[in-house]
Amino acid sequence: MAAVVLVCLLADLRTLGEGESWSPSALWGLAGVVHLGGAVFTSLLVVSVPALSVYLYRRHVRVGRP
């Protein structure tokens, strides 16, 4: 499941990078990589889940869609 999160996040970053409303940094992809590492080292989920939640919140505020 973590791999699906990473692929979807990278696709979202690529799609939003082409738009005008918000161009998120590619560093957000690092949160997806950390989440992928959380599949093996569960302590990484303490970092990745809040980081991905912040990304979704900022995306909602700036783009207006979930």
Side-chain angles (χ1 to χ4, degrees):
M1 185 57 79
V4 172
V5 170
L6 176 60
V7 169
C8 291
L9 177 65
L10 293 176
D12 193 52
L13 289 172
R14 185 174 181 192
T15 302
L16 287 175
E18 298 170 357
E20 297 175 8
S21 61
W22 182 44
S23 181
S25 170
L27 290 176
W28 283 108
L30 184 61
V33 172
V34 171
H35 192 70
L36 185 62
V40 178
F41 305 106
T42 56
S43 60
L44 292 176
L45 293 176
V46 173
V47 175
S48 68
V49 171
L52 292 172
S53 297
V54 168
Y55 172 77
L56 287 175
Y57 175 76
R58 286 187 179 185
R59 184 187 194 287
H60 173 70
V61 168
R62 297 188 182 179
V63 178
R65 293 185 303 262

